[in-house]
């Protein structure tokens, strides 16, 4: 379905007893703890690090740094320490943060000052808070709690999460706790802490020189394969989550081209809309790879139970619980690197609006290029030329809209914030085409997903399509070019057409979990009623209880997708209860 350049219809259709990690949990193997300044905290930090099995990387001056042995780390000539993967620009070996890319955190110290820089786009989330005249940082909420950081809920953050879904900013749901966002730098001067932007997507959106689609496809193929090859180094056991869709299939082709030894896993549902085993089998057969087919047990989906892991912000999706459990049963404690096609739609500019047409008009005026863009976007969206032209005129007349439309359904409008929390990427240059504004917003949305699935918690998860060189190239490509020939993600399709079966390259549809989700909703509706109407969000005055009661009282869902919004709210309620429960437990432990 074609939309104007506001919120896309497809986004609407996709809406879908906790504990802090134990020290002896094998998943504590991917954590970091750092104290900047904070002399009073250094001794406590060293003790907690020892109990968690974290090894000291640096102890002295303004930086005390500890890391799980399973995380790669190395010291650079300037004395800085890189934790995680940092590749050279060409991906041929180790690189430095000032010129390379990866999923690293780079730590530096000089005198009373210290800095931490997080890689653009990917990497371990790092949370930080001011304490004892310094800064404490960790990837783990449990570690920060043991160091005396409170777990009080930030109610303003809760309201923002309800009104602006998937808007990830540096603020978290724990009062006083911030996240160092990807592409940002945290600096400690000895007296104060500040964050600055180290990488911006807007620097890669510029008038594109005359490059043919064939050349762009060759460039994209090469950079994806090169980046995938870099990620494979040092990862002897690779498991690809292979849905059978275009994006994960491209990663399979890149892994094969990179010479990686990998196997694949496919999740299927009992309903036909979520069963893509045939497509996944075609891809695995193409490359002669083992494929593990796992059936989602819909009876294990729990929409109301508190999540297993307490997080600084809403995490695990209840509707994915069956997939998460199926993965755990199939993979267990094996230390595998999980690859996937995460972010393909977002990076390859899969846009269901007419914004690419507007971009072409602004760049080329009324021309053959603009008419071709109109025709291609209409064809890709299965709309008529007239429908596409009418929507384009309406979008041109109305002007660009905010990428984060305020969502108040099932909430009290007066309790919702009027503006979203700020983010470093909010201020796009005025000349930025609206299609590229949407492109950046789409990338921001997927970054909120990278640490959400329960099955990925504490594991080594790699998203090759979100590699910095891949994203920078894709940002530089005009939005309408992605629809060449009347197909979405056209350049990515052409880039891997000779490597993948035609049934994969040219397929239009995608697997869905809607049947499984709707069945789970209808089956657990009585429990959802209690969760939402008698929960913490309602008590805080955020919810429209009458609207929720009326919707829950309906006989069925009649083809609408409003129940996804209810499940979205339920996930926030579940997270909120888990955080408050952990906060009470921490206070009781401190009193003993």
């Amino acid at each position: 379905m074609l939309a104007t350049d506001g919120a896309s219809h497809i986004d609407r259709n996709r809406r879908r007893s906790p504990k802090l990690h134990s020290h002896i949990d094998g998943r504590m193997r991917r954590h970091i703890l750092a104290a900047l300044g904070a002399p009073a905290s250094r001794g406590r930090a060293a003790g907690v690090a020892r109990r968690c099995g974290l090894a000291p990387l640096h102890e002295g001056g303004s930086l005390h740094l500890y890391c799980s042995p399973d995380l790669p780390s190395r010291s650079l000539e300037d004395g800085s320490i890189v934790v995680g993967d940092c590749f050279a620009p060409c991906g041929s070996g180790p690189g430095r943060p000032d010129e390379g890319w990866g999923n690293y955190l780079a730590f530096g110290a000089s005198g009373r000052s210290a800095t931490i820089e997080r890689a653009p786009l990917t990497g371990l989330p790092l949370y930080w808070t001011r304490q004892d005249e310094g800064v404490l940082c960790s990837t783990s909420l449990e570690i920060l709690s043991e160091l005396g950081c409170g777990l009080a809920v930030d109610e303003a953050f809760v309201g923002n999460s309800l009104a602006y879904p998937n808007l990830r900013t540096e603020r978290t749901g724990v009062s006083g706790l911030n996240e160092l966002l990807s592409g940002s730098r945290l600096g400690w001067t000895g007296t104060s802490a500040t964050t600055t932007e180290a990488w911006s997507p807007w620097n890669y959106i510029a008038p594109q020189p005359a490059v043919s689609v064939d050349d762009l496809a060759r460039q994209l193929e090469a950079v994806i394969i090169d980046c995938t090859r870099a990620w494979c180094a040092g990862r002897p056991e690779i498991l690809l989550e292979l849905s059978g869709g275009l994006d994960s299939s491209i990663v399979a082709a890149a892994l094969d081209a990179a010479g990686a030894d990998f196997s694949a896993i496919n999740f299927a549902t009992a309903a036909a809309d979520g069963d893509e085993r045939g497509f996944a089998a075609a891809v695995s057969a193409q490359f002669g790879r083992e494929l593990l087919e796992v059936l989602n047990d819909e009876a294990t989906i729990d929409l109301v139970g508190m999540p297993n892991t307490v997080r600084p912000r809403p995490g695990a999706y209840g509707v994915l619980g069956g997939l998460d459990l199926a993965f755990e049963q199939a993979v267990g404690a094996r230390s595998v690197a999980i690859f996937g096609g995460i972010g393909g739609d977002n990076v390859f500019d899969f846009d269901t609006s007419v914004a690419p047409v507007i971009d072409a008009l602004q760049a080329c005026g009324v021309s053959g290029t603009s008419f071709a863009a109109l025709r291609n976007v209409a064809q890709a969206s299965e709309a008529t030329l007239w429908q596409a032209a009418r929507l384009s005129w309406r979008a041109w007349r109305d002007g660009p809209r905010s990428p984060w439309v305020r969502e108040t359904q099932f909430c009290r409008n007066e309790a919702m914030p009027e503006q979203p929390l700020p983010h470093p990427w909010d201020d796009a240059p005025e000349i930025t085409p609206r299609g590229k504004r949407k492109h950046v917003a789409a990338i921001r949305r997927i970054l909120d997903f990278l640490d959400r699935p329960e099955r990925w918690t504490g594991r080594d998860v790699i998203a090759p399509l979100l590699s910095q060189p891949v994203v920078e190239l894709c940002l530089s490509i005009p939005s309408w070019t992605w629809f060449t020939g009347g197909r979405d993600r056209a350049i990515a399709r052409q880039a891997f057409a000779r490597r993948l079966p035609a049934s994969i390259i040219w397929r239009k549809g995608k697997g869905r979990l809607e049947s499984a989700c709707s069945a789970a909703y209808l089956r657990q509706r009585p429990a959802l009623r209690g969760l939402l109407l008698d929960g913490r969000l309602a008590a805080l005055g955020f919810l429209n209880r009458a609207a929720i009661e009326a919707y829950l009282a309906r006989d069925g869902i009649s083809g609408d997708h409003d129940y996804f919004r209810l499940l979205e709210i339920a996930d926030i309620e579940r997270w909120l209860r888990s955080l408050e429960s952990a906060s009470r437990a921490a206070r009781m432990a401190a009193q003993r």
Side-chain angles (χ1 to χ4, degrees):
M1 183 180 293
L2 194 61
T4 63
D5 62 334
S8 98
H9 296 299
I10 198 165
D11 287 340
R12 179 64 176 167
N13 291 343
R14 285 182 179 172
R15 288 184 191 165
R16 336 250 193 250
S17 154
K19 60 182 179 181
L20 292 166
H21 281 140
S22 164
H23 292 315
I24 60 174
D25 186 342
R27 292 190 178 187
M28 288 298 289
R29 61 180 178 259
R30 297 185 61 79
H31 282 297
I32 296 169
L33 168 61
L36 312 184
S41 298
R42 294 174 186 170
R44 296 201 310 275
V48 170
R50 283 194 299 270
R51 291 197 298 275
C52 292
L54 307 185
L57 296 184
H58 187 279
E59 291 182 307
S62 57
L63 174 65
H64 284 56
L65 174 62
Y66 308 89
C67 175
S68 298
D70 283 7
L71 280 173
S73 62
R74 57 190 173 93
S75 297
L76 304 183
E77 293 179 357
D78 61 3
S80 60
I81 299 171
V82 176
V83 180
D85 298 294
C86 184
F87 307 114
C90 60
S92 59
R96 301 195 315 270
D98 60 341
E99 63 176 10
W101 60 277
N103 64 353
Y104 59 84
L105 287 164
F107 298 81
S110 176
R112 298 179 60 201
S113 301
T115 59
I116 307 174
E117 184 172 328
R118 180 177 170 186
L121 302 162
T122 52
L124 291 171
L126 187 74
Y127 301 98
W128 65 275
T129 185
R130 284 291 309 270
Q131 192 180 87
D132 296 333
E133 300 303 319
V135 176
L136 288 177
C137 313
S138 182
T139 52
S140 164
L141 189 59
E142 178 195 15
I143 291 176
L144 291 171
S145 178
E146 287 217 14
L147 287 169
C149 301
L151 299 179
V153 173
D154 183 341
E155 293 182 11
F157 170 89
V158 177
N160 194 83
S161 297
L162 287 166
Y164 302 99
N166 300 121
L167 174 59
R168 191 173 187 129
T169 67
E170 69 174 7
R171 194 162 172 174
T172 75
V174 178
S175 293
L177 185 67
N178 297 303
E179 179 181 355
L180 180 63
L181 296 175
S182 55
S184 294
R185 183 184 297 111
L186 171 65
W188 170 250
T189 65
T191 57
S192 63
T194 57
T195 55
T196 54
E197 186 179 58
W199 181 91
S200 172
W202 307 119
N203 294 334
Y204 300 92
I205 298 171
Q208 178 79 5
V211 178
S212 70
V213 171
D214 289 344
D215 286 342
L216 288 172
R218 282 191 288 270
Q219 290 178 37
L220 184 59
E221 178 190 26
V223 73
I224 290 176
I225 292 173
D226 287 346
C227 288
T228 302
R229 182 179 293 109
W231 287 118
C232 292
R235 291 181 165 88
E237 188 172 5
I238 294 173
L239 181 64
L240 171 65
E241 291 191 355
L242 180 61
S243 70
L246 177 65
D247 304 325
S248 61
S249 299
I250 284 176
V251 175
L255 283 167
D256 183 76
D261 182 14
F262 71 98
S263 58
I265 185 171
N266 173 263
F267 303 103
T269 66
D273 63 348
D275 188 351
E276 293 192 288
R277 283 176 288 187
F279 292 108
V283 175
S284 60
Q286 177 87 357
F287 305 117
R289 305 292 173 168
E290 177 188 358
L291 176 66
L292 177 62
E293 296 176 344
V294 178
L295 189 63
N296 176 32
D297 184 356
E298 296 177 11
T300 63
I301 297 175
D302 184 359
L303 301 177
V304 298
M306 285 193 286
N308 294 325
T309 305
V310 182
R311 303 169 186 262
R313 52 165 49 88
Y317 296 102
V319 294
L320 297 183
L323 300 181
D324 294 336
L325 182 58
F327 182 92
E328 291 295 335
Q329 292 172 341
V331 178
R334 287 166 52 199
S335 181
V336 298
I338 303 170
F339 281 56
I342 314 154
D345 284 356
N346 313 73
V347 174
F348 299 150
D349 207 3
F350 184 14
D351 190 344
T352 59
S353 79
V354 294
V357 180
I358 304 301
D359 288 0
L361 284 167
Q362 290 178 328
C364 306
V366 179
S367 63
T369 298
S370 300
F371 183 78
L374 179 70
R375 183 186 63 243
N376 289 335
V377 168
Q379 184 178 341
S381 303
E382 298 182 343
T384 65
L385 274 175
W386 168 246
Q387 288 171 324
R390 180 167 51 84
L391 287 172
S392 298
W393 163 247
R394 184 186 301 171
W396 182 288
R397 179 197 63 197
D398 295 343
R401 298 174 61 187
S402 167
W404 262 269
V405 177
R406 187 169 176 263
E407 175 63 84
T408 61
Q409 188 180 25
F410 299 124
C411 296
R412 294 176 58 242
N413 182 65
E414 61 273 22
M416 294 294 96
E418 292 293 337
Q419 296 293 331
L421 293 172
H423 187 279
W425 298 355
D426 286 339
D427 299 324
E430 286 191 16
I431 61 171
T432 305
R434 70 180 69 183
K436 283 301 169 182
R437 293 172 187 263
K438 287 172 62 62
H439 195 176
V440 170
I443 292 170
R444 283 181 61 183
R445 282 190 176 88
I446 199 60
L447 296 184
D448 188 51
F449 181 75
L450 293 180
D451 61 347
R452 279 185 174 247
E454 188 69 31
R455 66 184 181 276
W456 294 348
T457 302
R459 294 188 183 271
D460 184 18
V461 180
I462 306 298
L465 303 184
L466 283 169
S467 300
Q468 184 180 338
V470 176
V471 173
E472 290 173 354
L473 172 61
C474 291
L475 285 171
S476 73
I477 297 172
S479 58
W480 65 88
T481 309
W482 288 102
F483 293 88
T484 300
R487 295 184 183 274
D488 58 73
R489 299 168 289 173
I491 299 171
R493 294 179 191 273
Q494 182 169 332
F496 286 85
R498 66 187 180 89
R499 297 182 183 272
L500 288 169
S503 60
I504 301 297
I505 284 294
W506 307 119
R507 67 176 297 200
K508 283 190 173 183
K510 287 177 175 286
R512 301 291 187 197
L513 294 175
E514 290 179 14
S515 295
C517 293
S518 60
Y521 164 76
L522 293 172
R523 185 172 61 250
Q524 299 181 53
R525 189 164 38 173
L528 282 166
R529 178 179 283 106
L531 179 79
L532 296 173
L533 299 182
D534 302 322
R536 294 294 297 131
L537 293 174
L540 291 170
F542 286 122
L543 302 187
N544 184 335
R545 298 180 81 257
I548 293 173
E549 281 188 287
Y551 188 82
L552 289 171
R554 295 169 54 177
D555 290 336
I557 53 177
S558 303
D560 72 52
H561 295 89
D562 290 348
Y563 69 93
F564 274 105
R565 172 61 174 165
L566 277 186
L567 299 184
E568 200 171 61
I569 295 172
D571 284 337
I572 297 175
E573 173 71 31
R574 295 166 57 240
W575 161 79
L576 179 57
R577 292 190 187 193
S578 73
L579 182 59
E580 290 186 336
S581 177
S583 179
R584 288 192 296 271
R587 289 196 302 270
M588 292 175 63
Q591 294 169 1
R592 288 198 291 266

